[in-house]
Amino acid sequence: MKYNFNEKTRKNITAFSFIMCLVVVGGMALYYQYMKRQQLQTEVHTPTTEVEKLIARDLDAGYPETPTEVMKLWGRINQCIYNTTMEDEEFTALLQQLRSMYSRDLLKQNPENAHRSRLSEEVSEFKADKNKIVSYSTDTGSAVKYRTINNQECAQIRISYFMSDGSGYAKIYQDFILVREDEKWKIEGFRESKAEKSTEKEATSQ
């Protein structure tokens, strides 16, 4: 009887050890899968395209400090919107970046849905005519005019777009008025002032 009891005990221990090994292996596999999912979730996607870089830019934390810098970003975003084929979500995200540079008054005058529809139509027509924004430039230094209107700081600044339609080049000027809101220069209004012929050298030298 003593011999049979020890043999039975050894068999039970062996079976128990085998089951525990399976539990440990299974637990390790589950832990590995969990950690892999956590790593994938915490990985930060580094923007690579111009669209991704502009969408990823945090304007709340890093808003342009001067009217010139505001216009440079404005030109960069518009060049991307008008020249690039993108998904609807990307278009909407870039529109939001543009609107973040609008003053409160200009936002009220341009409801988001109407703004999106109008811009989408303009971009479609622009591309249908095989136009392209080759480059842009903006006023700097003393060319930027500052004044105070109704106790509000304002800046007048011009941006120039160099365009191509496949057969020639043109230069289009837009004049902007920016106002100081919450320590940030915001776009209050703008209008196209004039257009004139340009050259490839002028367009690509910017």
Side-chain angles (χ1 to χ4, degrees):
M1 292 294 296
K2 185 177 180 180
Y3 173 82
N4 290 338
F5 175 77
N6 288 339
E7 184 68 24
K8 183 177 181 180
T9 301
R10 284 196 297 271
K11 288 181 179 179
N12 288 340
I13 291 174
T14 301
F16 178 77
S17 299
F18 178 73
I19 292 172
M20 287 303 298
C21 286
L22 291 178
V23 171
V24 171
V25 171
M28 291 178 64
L30 290 173
Y31 178 75
Y32 173 77
Q33 291 178 1
Y34 170 78
M35 292 302 296
K36 188 174 183 179
R37 286 197 300 269
Q38 290 294 105
Q39 182 180 5
L40 290 174
Q41 290 175 1
T42 56
E43 282 182 355
V44 178
H45 172 67
T46 302
T48 55
T49 68
E50 179 72 348
V51 172
E52 291 175 340
K53 291 175 182 177
L54 289 170
I55 291 174
R57 181 160 179 168
D58 186 351
L59 294 184
D60 289 329
Y63 193 82
E65 295 184 357
T66 67
T68 294
E69 292 304 314
V70 170
M71 286 294 93
K72 285 181 179 179
L73 181 58
W74 176 268
R76 183 181 170 189
I77 293 175
N78 274 283
Q79 185 178 36
C80 188
I81 288 176
Y82 280 88
N83 287 359
T84 309
T85 300
M86 63 187 73
E87 300 294 333
D88 286 344
E89 294 80 5
E90 294 173 326
F91 180 83
T92 300
L94 288 181
L95 174 64
Q96 289 294 334
Q97 294 291 61
L98 287 181
R99 290 179 63 82
S100 69
M101 292 187 278
Y102 274 22
S103 69
R104 286 186 285 269
D105 286 342
L106 193 56
L107 285 173
K108 289 179 183 178
Q109 296 170 25
N110 293 271
E112 184 174 344
N113 288 339
H115 188 181
R116 190 186 193 286
S117 177
R118 184 175 65 254
L119 180 60
S120 179
E121 184 177 340
E122 290 176 358
V123 170
S124 295
E125 292 177 357
F126 183 86
K127 292 179 177 179
D129 292 336
K130 298 182 179 180
N131 290 320
K132 183 179 181 181
I133 299 176
V134 180
S135 61
Y136 58 89
S137 64
T138 184
D139 286 344
T140 60
S142 60
V144 183
K145 307 299 181 184
Y146 296 91
R147 62 192 67 184
T148 301
I149 302 175
N150 296 327
N151 296 319
Q152 188 171 32
E153 292 181 78
C154 301
Q156 182 177 345
I157 187 169
R158 171 174 287 183
I159 186 170
S160 306
Y161 290 101
F162 296 89
M163 319 283 287
S164 169
D165 63 2
S167 61
Y169 293 84
K171 187 176 182 181
I172 297 175
Y173 299 91
Q174 285 184 326
D175 291 328
F176 285 74
I177 296 294
L178 278 65
V179 295
R180 191 79 162 163
E181 284 186 356
D182 303 323
E183 302 304 315
K184 296 178 180 178
W185 286 105
K186 298 284 188 170
I187 297 170
E188 178 76 359
F190 55 93
R191 63 182 177 85
E192 186 173 315
S193 58
K194 64 176 180 177
E196 61 184 32
K197 289 184 178 181
S198 183
T199 63
E200 181 179 6
K201 182 178 180 180
E202 186 178 14
T204 56
S205 64
Q206 301 303 313

